[in-house]
Structure formats: structure tokens, C-alpha cells
Amino acid sequence: MANSPTGDSVTDRLVRVLETFTPTRTAQTTAEIGRRAGLPSSSAHRIVAELVAAGLLERGEDGRVRIGMRLWELATRSSPALRLRQLALPFMERVQQRVREHTQLAILEQDEALFLERLSGTASGANVTRVAGRLPLHASSSGLLLLAFAPRELQERVLTGPLVALTAETITDPRMLRRKLDEVRTLGHAVAPGSMEAVSTGVAVPLRDETGAVVAALSVVLPREAPTEPALLELYRAAHDIERALSGARRL
Amino acid sequence: MANSPTGDSVTDRLVRVLETFTPTRTAQTTAEIGRRAGLPSSSAHRIVAELVAAGLLERGEDGRVRIGMRLWELATRSSPALRLRQLALPFMERVQQRVREHTQLAILEQDEALFLERLSGTASGANVTRVAGRLPLHASSSGLLLLAFAPRELQERVLTGPLVALTAETITDPRMLRRKLDEVRTLGHAVAPGSMEAVSTGVAVPLRDETGAVVAALSVVLPREAPTEPALLELYRAAHDIERALSGARRL
């Protein structure tokens, strides 16, 4: 495929254009997109025009460009992970109704926990999670759960990499993190008091496929001093029902 | 940008590759993708490899290719419409808990109703709607609602286009559809008994922005003979609360 003088492929440049959009920057002029993507003005105009023609971007009445619904539609309707999300949703709703705190579904994605869904009700507490947002594996309960059951080489990569402190209680010592992962495997679930936010405790249980492999983490965010057992019971019940529904549906 | 001998842009070819994935075809070989996208084998291999490198596609252990989570993440985290969905979700949960039937959020997108969300609980009835799925404007309650408040030229385009019957009760006569749209505007909401499925009645209310423009339809799918008033009351209450939350958040 045609490469630019700097050797990046057209696909790279398209992705760079899309990546200039963020949760807090949802509308931009083509000039801004070009500058942020590091593209010459003529390339930026051509790529944006083509993406608008294809519906992946949309141009508003104000002339600014936004992410097009076609992109979301293409991604959502064909993704195996998002079919898991759809299947899990009714059972997540049940957890949310009974526990009345943020209820979340996350998968392992490029060494981070990627959140596929978050249900919050109208009266849940603090929570930094965002749908389609990511959290580091060593800090969130979902991340610790996914990391504990991840392939050994991924665990070693995280254990030997930088462990950023998000609060005073985030585990940043590799030996302590190793012990925490052992604890998660022994308990079968993760409890993370104060490691993401001082005021909250995250609890996460695994979702397994038919082979027993962990494919996702189901979690709730509780007020710091709340008992964890009632939430864990609801999470395990939901995980059981989701796994049964999964084995009825086609393989992920 | 480099065009192929047939004159389509690289962006077109990328989109054609992505569009070979469907809700029922989530994993394909590169050869299958090339054939379905109408691309020469060498182009298909190059484009797929670049999309895999960028994370927009993923290659599984079976060698087959799937839609990558990166695509969904890019689309979801930056889309104004999906921020509306996130804001509406807690209030949709409340409707679902009280009415205990499928609760849906749809927007107008390229002359169809595009469903941003569907909450179903664990005991809801029949429903053909899918998240990121589309329904024709003249047949679903959400579609009728969105069409009734759409720009005049879109209404005329639908009224003069083919009106496909999904059931014996779908309105396919343009004059009857015109009357139905009048009725929706007079009532302020749409009731569509049997027009999508003989066993169900859809009811939809508008979500309006601060200027009063209708930006989305909030709907439930009831068993055919159920009374509509309790569901409509909950829908209007939710719409009111979502609109208040919207005016508090930044403008869509």
C-alpha cells in the first residue's frame, strides 16, 4: 500500500487521524486534526474527506469533524468480546439492582484492563472507570484479577515494568504484587481496598469459558468500609449464570 | 491518496475490509475477507496486515481475523452520541427495572433507527432489536418517533421510497404513514402495535436537547396486549431526567 515519504502506511495515518479524538476532544477542525496527527495539511484534508465520505467521521454544521456512528457500528456488531458484553448485561443489571453500586465488565487488552461496560444506577458512589476506558492491571480489582490468571510472560512483563502509584495504597512493590496475585488465585477473586481511589474498594470475580480459561472480570466498586461478601455473592451468582449462557451461545 | 486501478481510495478499501465482518461472521481468513471485499489477494493481505498491526483487526491463534477492540475503543470513547448513551443508561436501567421489558435508546442515522443500547433484564419477551443494529423508520416505534420529528426532506424521502412490510401490520401505505406521523406529533410519542413483530407493541418517547430538537428515541417493547400507559409514564420520567442531565453536561 502507498507509503508516505516517512515510510508510514496509509493505515497508520488513518489510525493517527482517528486517535486525535479523545473523550474530552470529540470535535475538531481538519487543521487541528492534521496538526495533532503530525500530517501535512493536504494529507489531512484528503484523509478526513475520505473518512467523512465513508461515514467513519462526520462533519457537523459547525464545520468541525466528529467520530461517525458508522465506526462504532462496525466495531460493535462484529466483535466477539462485545457479544460477551451483550450476553452479560442482564446479569450485570441484576448485580447492580441488588448491590446498588457500580458494576463493571473488563477484559485484558494490550497489558491493561479495558472496560466493556459500567452500570451505575442513579445513586452509586465515586468511580473513575469509563466505558471503553482502561485501568492499569496492578491497581484495579479487575486488573489484578485478569493479571493473576494471565499468561506467565504477561505477568512477568508487568512485574518487571513500572508500577505507578494511583493512591498511597496502590501496590508498587513487585514482591508484594506477586504475593497479591497468589492471594487472588487462592481466593478465586480479587479485593482491592483503596488501590484505585482511597474512598473505594473494588471486588472482582472471573468469567471463564468452557475450557476454564478466564476471559473477563466482573466487578463492583464499594464504599471503602462496606462488607465485601454480599457483593461477592452476587458477582459469583452472575458469573455462574453468564458462563451458562456463554456455553449455550456460540464460542467466543 | 493512492487510488487503486478501479479508482477507489485506500479508505474505501479499508472500509470494505471492515464491512465484511457482520454480527454472524465475526472471524474470517484473509482470503475470505479479500473475496468478500472484492480485493486482489495481495491487497487483501497487505491491508489486513496493516489493520492487525494498528490493532483495528486481531489475528487469533486459529489464524483467523476478528474485529479488534481498539476499533470499538476509538469509536466509543470519542463519540458524542455514545456519551448520550452513557448519560442515559442509569435512567434506562430504572425503566427496565420497573417495566421489566426491553428498554432501548435509538438515534436517527442514515435514514434508519440505529440502536445505541438495549437493556433486557433476565425475563423480557421477544425482541428483534440488537445493539448497533438498525431498524427501518416506518416500522419500529423508535423509527416512527424519530421520523415524525425529522427534517421534512427526510420524511418525504421515506414516504416516497419503498415501505417494506415486516409484519401484516407494518404501515406500507404512504398516506397511512403520513397520518401516523401526524398522530405521533400530536400525542408526542409513538405507539406501534404489531408493526415489527405480531406479538409486540413498541412505545417510544422523544429525548430533546436544550433547543427542543429531538435527538433520540427512548422506547420499550411490550407484549402485544399490555397496557401502554405504565410504560409511557416511566419513559417520560426517564426522558425528563435524561434531558436535565444532558443540559447539565456539555452540549452534544
Side-chain angles (χ1 to χ4, degrees):
Chain A
M1 184 170 301
N3 284 357
S4 76
T6 54
D8 52 348
S9 74
V10 175
T11 309
D12 287 335
R13 287 184 277 158
L14 282 178
V15 171
R16 258 156 55 206
V17 164
L18 295 176
E19 284 183 335
T20 62
F21 292 89
T22 71
T24 54
R25 193 199 292 150
T26 60
Q28 305 177 85
T29 65
T30 303
E32 288 165 344
I33 293 171
R35 185 164 45 75
R36 291 175 177 135
L39 291 172
S41 169
S42 58
S43 303
H45 276 87
R46 199 167 43 226
I47 293 175
V48 167
E50 288 180 2
L51 288 171
V52 167
L56 302 196
L57 294 180
E58 289 170 358
R59 201 184 299 275
E61 285 171 21
D62 57 1
R64 296 199 298 167
V65 176
R66 293 167 177 78
I67 290 281
M69 290 310 297
R70 185 93 192 100
L71 189 67
W72 172 78
E73 192 184 352
L74 275 172
T76 301
R77 69 177 188 188
S78 312
S79 160
L82 295 171
R83 287 171 65 191
L84 161 64
R85 172 206 167 274
Q86 200 58 27
L87 211 143
L89 195 52
F91 304 102
M92 293 178 65
E93 288 170 40
R94 192 178 66 195
V95 173
Q96 205 284 323
Q97 281 169 41
R98 293 183 181 169
V99 181
R100 310 199 76 77
E101 299 291 349
H102 304 285
T103 304
Q104 312 175 137
L105 179 68
I107 59 170
L108 190 61
E109 164 76 9
Q110 295 172 328
D111 295 8
E112 292 180 293
L114 175 65
F115 285 82
L116 301 183
E117 190 50 88
R118 184 192 73 173
L119 299 181
S120 299
T122 48
S124 306
N127 188 4
V128 297
T129 311
R130 221 179 23 226
V131 173
R134 292 164 176 267
L135 289 179
L137 292 176
H138 70 287
S140 59
S141 64
S142 301
L144 287 166
L145 189 287
L146 293 168
L147 184 59
F149 294 103
R152 182 59 95 181
E153 69 267 22
L154 193 160
Q155 291 184 26
E156 292 307 318
R157 193 158 65 234
V158 172
L159 283 160
T160 55
L163 297 169
V164 176
L166 301 183
T167 70
E169 291 166 283
T170 307
I171 302 174
T172 56
D173 176 63
R175 274 168 313 177
M176 283 182 62
L177 181 53
R178 218 178 273 280
R179 267 207 299 280
K180 181 70 182 179
L181 296 178
D182 271 339
E183 176 198 302
V184 171
R185 282 185 293 266
T186 304
L187 288 172
H189 58 252
V191 179
S195 64
M196 278 301 308
E197 296 177 284
V199 297
S200 306
T201 295
V203 294
V205 308
L207 282 182
R208 295 172 187 275
D209 68 13
E210 284 163 312
T211 73
V214 172
V215 293
L218 194 64
S219 62
V220 295
V221 181
L222 300 170
R224 178 61 184 268
E225 303 305 337
T228 56
E229 286 72 21
L232 278 168
L233 267 176
E234 288 300 334
L235 285 173
Y236 273 121
R237 283 181 191 135
H240 174 78
D241 288 341
I242 295 167
E243 285 165 1
R244 215 168 43 174
L246 260 180
S247 71
R250 228 168 325 171
R251 202 187 113 47
L252 261 187
Chain B
M1 182 171 301
N3 284 355
S4 76
T6 53
D8 52 349
S9 74
V10 174
T11 309
D12 286 336
R13 285 185 277 158
L14 283 177
V15 171
R16 255 154 57 203
V17 163
L18 295 176
E19 285 184 335
T20 61
F21 292 89
T22 70
T24 54
R25 192 198 292 150
T26 61
Q28 307 177 82
T29 66
T30 303
E32 288 166 343
I33 293 171
R35 184 164 47 73
R36 289 174 178 137
L39 290 172
S41 169
S42 58
S43 301
H45 275 86
R46 200 168 44 226
I47 293 175
V48 167
E50 289 180 1
L51 288 171
V52 167
L56 301 196
L57 294 180
E58 290 171 359
R59 201 184 301 275
E61 287 171 20
D62 57 2
R64 295 198 298 166
V65 176
R66 293 169 178 76
I67 290 282
M69 290 309 296
R70 185 91 190 101
L71 189 66
W72 172 77
E73 193 184 351
L74 275 173
T76 301
R77 67 177 188 186
S78 313
S79 161
L82 296 171
R83 287 170 67 192
L84 161 64
R85 170 207 168 274
Q86 200 57 27
L87 212 144
L89 194 52
F91 304 102
M92 293 179 64
E93 288 170 39
R94 192 179 67 197
V95 173
Q96 206 286 321
Q97 281 170 40
R98 294 184 181 168
V99 181
R100 311 198 77 77
E101 299 292 348
H102 304 285
T103 303
Q104 312 175 136
L105 180 67
I107 60 170
L108 190 63
E109 164 76 10
Q110 295 171 328
D111 295 8
E112 292 179 294
L114 175 65
F115 285 81
L116 301 182
E117 190 51 270
R118 185 192 73 173
L119 298 180
S120 299
T122 49
S124 305
N127 188 4
V128 297
T129 311
R130 222 175 28 222
V131 173
R134 291 165 177 267
L135 289 179
L137 292 176
H138 70 286
S140 59
S141 64
S142 300
L144 287 166
L145 189 287
L146 293 168
L147 184 59
F149 294 103
R152 182 59 94 181
E153 69 267 24
L154 195 160
Q155 291 184 24
E156 292 307 318
R157 193 156 66 235
V158 171
L159 283 161
T160 54
L163 297 170
V164 176
L166 301 182
T167 69
E169 290 164 283
T170 308
I171 302 174
T172 56
D173 176 62
R175 272 167 313 176
M176 283 182 63
L177 181 54
R178 217 178 273 277
R179 267 206 298 279
K180 182 71 182 179
L181 297 179
D182 271 338
E183 175 198 302
V184 170
R185 282 185 294 265
T186 303
L187 288 171
H189 57 252
V191 178
S195 64
M196 278 301 308
E197 295 177 287
V199 297
S200 306
T201 295
V203 294
V205 308
L207 282 182
R208 295 171 186 275
D209 68 12
E210 285 163 311
T211 72
V214 173
V215 294
L218 194 64
S219 62
V220 295
V221 181
L222 300 170
R224 178 61 186 267
E225 303 304 337
T228 56
E229 285 72 21
L232 278 167
L233 266 176
E234 288 301 333
L235 286 173
Y236 273 120
R237 283 180 190 135
H240 175 79
D241 289 342
I242 295 167
E243 285 165 1
R244 216 168 42 173
L246 261 180
S247 71
R250 227 169 324 173
R251 205 187 110 48
L252 262 186

